[in-house]
Amino acid sequence: MGASQATDRCPGYSSCPAVYFPDVLAENADALAVRRANAIEKRNALLRFDEARPGAERKALLGAILVHDETLSVEKNQACASCHASYAGFSGPVALINKKTAANPGSVAMRAGLRKPMSLAYATYAPVLAYNNAASAFVGGNFWDMRATGLVTGSASADQAQAPFTSPFEMAMPDPACVVYRVARGAYRAKFEEVWGGNAFAVRWPAGTATACARPNSSADADPRALVLAAVDRKQAQATFKNIALSIAAYEASSDASPFSSKFDAVQAGKAKFTPAERAGFALFTGGRAKCSNCHTAAGKPVLFTNFQAFNIGTPRNPDIPYLSENRPDGFGYVANSDGGAFVDLGLGGFLASSAVVNSAWKAQASFYKGAFRTPTLRNVDKRPRPAFAKSYAHNGYFPSLKALVHFYNTRGILDRCPDGLQRYGDTNGSKTVGYNCWPASEIPATVNWQFTGRLGLSDLEESQIVAFLRTLSDGYDPSSEAGE
């Protein structure tokens, strides 16, 4: 497809993504299932709220309502759970998107972000971002680049919950106050006021608020202000927006999102036993050879399988991320990525160097963290709604399976560098095949961590045993399903 054709069919792009998002959202079975699940989960949370005890239980259920409320996006078609569905491990719930683009479309369907959705399960365990002198590392924060520091709301999870509402390529609301406005006009306004007080919506909304809030945010401003509010009204709207985020964090901390109900947890409680392959995988995971637990910590209570630090593991560039060609004005004049294909994802290093960071000591560390991304929890890493459901792994979704990811950890630095032109996993020129006998270069080679990844010397069987163990980390395990093992 030529550039002019791409611009016509895919506004904002110099070349169309691998899938046409409007068609996927309108016709794909997984995408339609997400819409149904959001409606069901929102309704169930509304019913459960009335039966729950006042206080923490109702706050968490209010968060569940908010997480599944599609009206909180600019076009009223996307909720937080649209990219963080429980049945997909609180990550991307559309297999075709996981397989083809990794990054999900937003409320404005032709806009897409630059990374795959990080799981929101267990997110509340992330501490407020700080530099830990003992570890000589940044620890905490949410998002792949740790930019949800927790310094805004006091909770890294709540900081993260605020950002997608106004992100141009996510829910795209043009003002945080617009989120408050939509909640104020929702069926659960009284429930919100019960949890957070009767003044939560004491805001004098200007004429034309509904119209202004229906126009997508098309700026790079981290705190867009489409509404002109008096100072007292802005202050109240900001307070309520913070409480929306804290409600979502309460949901993420609840047993609905962080239940510790995997087979691993059952084994730890003496209620189940690992299979021989799972047992061998766990031994490798926690032992010295595979080095998994150096970052995906398996010690302590509860076991979270992350040390909340960031590393550059050497992940190759994913050429199918739509953001790389999202370099032209869309129908609203928004340009997502002016660098186009020259864009390099700097991860934590990019955040530390940004204007969002005012701490000079942090800024001084930026170059050391180029290409570093936060270690995610491995809980629910293989959770999927059906066996054939496609998932993707790493911050950019480069790896199509857990086996591929483990193989990369094992063989990076052993297999040859792939020749130019072989970039996607599985690409081949006949003699070289990506992931079989070569790997592409890391996106940012200079800062790759060789201490914990690469050149592990594991056999194919041992890789598979680690994968078998990782599959025990999916919540919702029923011990009776493996009776007799």
Side-chain angles (χ1 to χ4, degrees):
M1 179 178 290
S4 61
Q5 291 174 295
T7 302
D8 292 341
R9 178 169 168 78
C10 306
Y13 291 83
S14 54
S15 60
C16 284
V19 297
Y20 185 62
F21 292 130
D23 286 353
V24 173
L25 296 174
E27 302 169 3
N28 180 271
D30 285 337
L32 296 175
V34 172
R35 301 294 301 272
R36 291 193 298 271
N38 283 339
I40 292 168
E41 292 296 329
K42 180 181 175 183
R43 183 180 68 237
N44 288 345
L46 285 165
L47 294 173
R48 290 171 61 197
F49 184 97
D50 295 330
E51 301 170 356
R53 290 175 292 187
E57 285 186 17
R58 289 194 172 184
K59 183 191 293 185
L61 285 166
L62 175 62
I65 296 167
L66 292 160
V67 161
H68 295 94
D69 187 354
E70 295 182 352
T71 72
L72 303 186
S73 61
V74 68
E75 296 191 5
K76 301 182 179 180
N77 60 350
Q78 185 177 67
C80 302
S82 298
C83 299
H84 300 278
S86 59
Y87 52 82
F90 290 94
S91 189
V94 180
L96 181 64
I97 290 173
N98 294 342
K99 185 176 182 179
K100 294 289 188 179
T101 66
N104 283 38
S107 182
V108 180
M110 281 310 298
R111 294 181 181 177
L114 67 156
R115 302 177 186 134
K116 64 158 283 186
M118 200 173 194
S119 175
L120 62 75
Y122 305 95
T124 51
Y125 288 90
V128 172
L129 182 64
Y131 188 79
N132 185 304
N133 288 314
S136 297
F138 287 94
V139 179
N142 273 323
F143 283 128
W144 288 105
D145 59 8
M146 296 168 142
R147 71 185 186 278
T149 61
L151 297 172
V152 176
T153 64
S155 159
S157 180
D159 277 19
Q160 184 279 325
Q162 287 187 327
F165 285 120
T166 57
S167 168
F169 43 76
E170 295 180 78
M171 298 165 85
M173 293 292 267
D175 191 316
C178 288
V179 183
V180 177
Y181 177 80
R182 292 272 181 92
V183 176
R185 276 145 183 77
Y188 55 96
R189 171 178 176 147
K191 290 177 170 56
F192 194 100
E193 290 173 326
E194 178 185 326
V195 172
W196 292 106
N199 289 327
F201 303 109
V203 178
R204 292 166 295 179
W205 302 106
T209 292
T211 300
C213 290
R215 298 190 190 104
N217 179 26
S218 298
S219 76
D221 193 336
D223 187 21
R225 300 290 178 92
L227 301 179
V228 179
L229 300 177
V232 64
D233 296 312
R234 176 61 66 179
K235 182 178 180 180
Q236 181 59 61
Q238 290 296 95
T240 299
F241 186 57
K242 175 181 177 180
N243 290 336
I244 287 171
L246 290 171
S247 299
I248 292 172
Y251 163 70
E252 293 174 356
S254 75
S255 59
D256 284 345
S258 302
F260 296 98
S261 62
S262 68
K263 181 177 182 179
F264 169 81
D265 297 301
V267 171
Q268 295 295 99
K271 297 178 180 179
K273 294 182 179 180
F274 284 139
T275 66
E278 293 164 353
R279 188 180 308 112
F282 181 54
L284 286 163
F285 186 97
T286 55
R289 288 183 59 219
K291 301 183 180 180
C292 308
S293 62
N294 286 321
C295 303
H296 296 283
T297 312
K301 291 186 178 181
V303 180
L304 298 171
F305 295 101
T306 175
N307 61 5
F308 300 105
Q309 296 180 28
F311 302 93
N312 178 359
I313 65 169
T315 304
R317 178 184 181 88
N318 183 352
D320 293 324
I321 291 288
Y323 189 79
L324 297 176
S325 58
E326 209 170 346
N327 59 338
R328 297 191 174 180
D330 67 9
F332 301 94
Y334 174 66
V335 179
N337 171 24
S338 59
D339 291 335
F343 173 81
V344 175
D345 193 345
L346 299 178
L348 175 57
F351 167 63
L352 294 175
S354 73
S355 60
V357 174
V358 297
N359 185 319
S360 59
W362 286 19
K363 280 187 175 295
Q365 297 275 359
S367 62
F368 301 110
Y369 286 93
K370 289 181 178 179
F373 296 90
R374 215 206 73 185
T375 304
T377 178
L378 294 179
R379 286 185 173 273
N380 294 309
V381 70
D382 190 59
K383 191 171 179 65
R384 60 188 78 211
R386 57 184 183 275
F389 180 87
K391 292 176 72 80
S392 61
Y393 297 95
H395 68 278
N396 61 4
Y398 182 85
F399 302 100
S401 68
L402 280 173
K403 184 67 164 68
L405 178 59
V406 173
H407 187 58
F408 174 76
Y409 272 98
N410 182 29
T411 61
R412 181 172 60 83
I414 296 176
L415 299 186
D416 291 343
R417 161 85 178 273
C418 292
D420 292 344
L422 297 185
Q423 185 65 30
R424 296 172 179 84
Y425 185 88
D427 279 356
T428 185
N429 64 4
S431 62
K432 292 292 185 182
T433 301
V434 178
Y436 174 70
N437 56 10
C438 71
W439 289 112
S442 305
E443 186 163 19
I444 302 180
T447 58
V448 170
N449 181 294
W450 287 99
Q451 182 180 2
F452 298 141
T453 61
R455 303 167 180 160
L456 299 181
L458 303 175
S459 68
D460 181 72
L461 174 61
E462 288 172 323
E463 290 180 0
S464 295
Q465 289 169 336
I466 292 171
V467 172
F469 165 67
L470 294 175
R471 288 175 174 156
T472 72
L473 302 181
S474 297
D475 285 322
Y477 172 70
D478 179 5
S480 66
S481 67
E482 297 184 0
E485 287 195 3

